Amino acid sequence: MHQQKRQPELMEGNLPVFVFPTELIFYADDQSTHKQVLTLYNPYEFALKFKVLCTAPNKYVVVDAAGAVKPQCCVDIVIRHRDVRSCHYGVIDKFRLQVSEQSQRKALGRKEVVATLLPSAKEQQKEEEEKRIKEHLTESLFFEQSFQPGLITMAILRT
């Protein structure tokens, strides 16, 4: 008997969406960061169409905010920050990438990417270094060793 190969029924909103990076950080003092690229991957055997939505569309320009991705291919989506003012420092905006099957309207999956504008790359690097050192110190295990002839004991101290 001949069996037909059936494609699984795709449920709305359940399809994993693969995007890199998952976070965009723009630096006001570094113009080279004002334009960044999101890469949308399609590992599937069928074509996808995509749409990019944003919580703050007036602050960004998204080149090719909608389009298609061939099976087992990827597309680059260019995002430009166009409102680099201090009142936007630290504000977290979101981009949502919705994907659907080429011939369908319903969204099969979506992925959110956060975007933040920071005042200075140098300032951020300093803060990250301080944070990393602080985390390293607070997460370290310190062992107390006491030496008595013929007996070695150890105690674990957490900070």
Side-chain angles (χ1 to χ4, degrees):
M1 191 177 258
H2 186 279
Q3 284 189 331
Q4 253 185 322
K5 203 174 184 182
R6 283 185 38 192
Q7 192 169 355
E9 183 73 23
L10 295 170
M11 299 287 291
E12 188 169 355
N14 290 341
L15 188 74
V17 177
F18 301 95
V19 180
F20 184 81
T22 56
E23 179 181 24
L24 299 174
I25 298 177
F26 300 90
Y27 297 103
D29 69 342
D30 184 356
Q31 203 168 18
S32 69
T33 68
H34 297 183
K35 177 177 135 181
Q36 296 195 30
V37 176
L38 281 179
T39 303
L40 174 62
Y41 298 89
N42 179 5
Y44 304 107
E45 300 289 330
F46 52 90
L48 292 175
K49 63 181 179 180
F50 71 89
K51 185 187 294 187
V52 181
L53 307 169
C54 182
T55 58
N58 295 335
K59 289 164 56 175
Y60 302 93
V61 173
V62 180
V63 179
D64 299 326
V69 192
K70 294 177 184 174
Q72 299 174 345
C73 290
C74 62
V75 293
D76 287 338
I77 302 162
V78 177
I79 296 178
R80 283 194 191 98
H81 202 302
R82 68 174 178 193
D83 194 357
V84 186
R85 292 183 290 156
S86 61
C87 61
H88 298 304
Y89 292 173
V91 175
I92 296 172
D93 299 317
K94 292 180 183 176
F95 290 93
R96 176 179 287 165
L97 282 87
Q98 284 185 184
V99 299
S100 58
E101 212 172 344
Q102 190 77 42
S103 58
Q104 302 293 317
R105 289 195 108 184
K106 67 179 180 179
L108 293 177
R110 67 179 187 228
K111 181 80 165 196
E112 290 187 357
V113 175
V114 295
T116 312
L117 174 66
L118 298 175
S120 170
K122 291 174 189 152
E123 213 175 278
Q124 181 65 16
Q125 287 170 348
K126 183 180 172 189
E127 285 176 19
E128 285 175 4
E129 179 68 20
E130 287 171 358
K131 183 180 173 185
R132 195 170 77 242
I133 291 169
K134 187 177 178 182
E135 284 174 355
H136 182 72
L137 290 174
T138 59
E139 293 176 7
S140 298
L141 291 177
F142 293 88
F143 298 93
E144 181 180 293
Q145 295 180 320
S146 58
F147 181 74
Q148 296 175 2
L151 179 67
I152 297 177
T153 61
M154 242 186 223
I156 298 175
L157 303 174
R158 286 195 182 267
T159 56

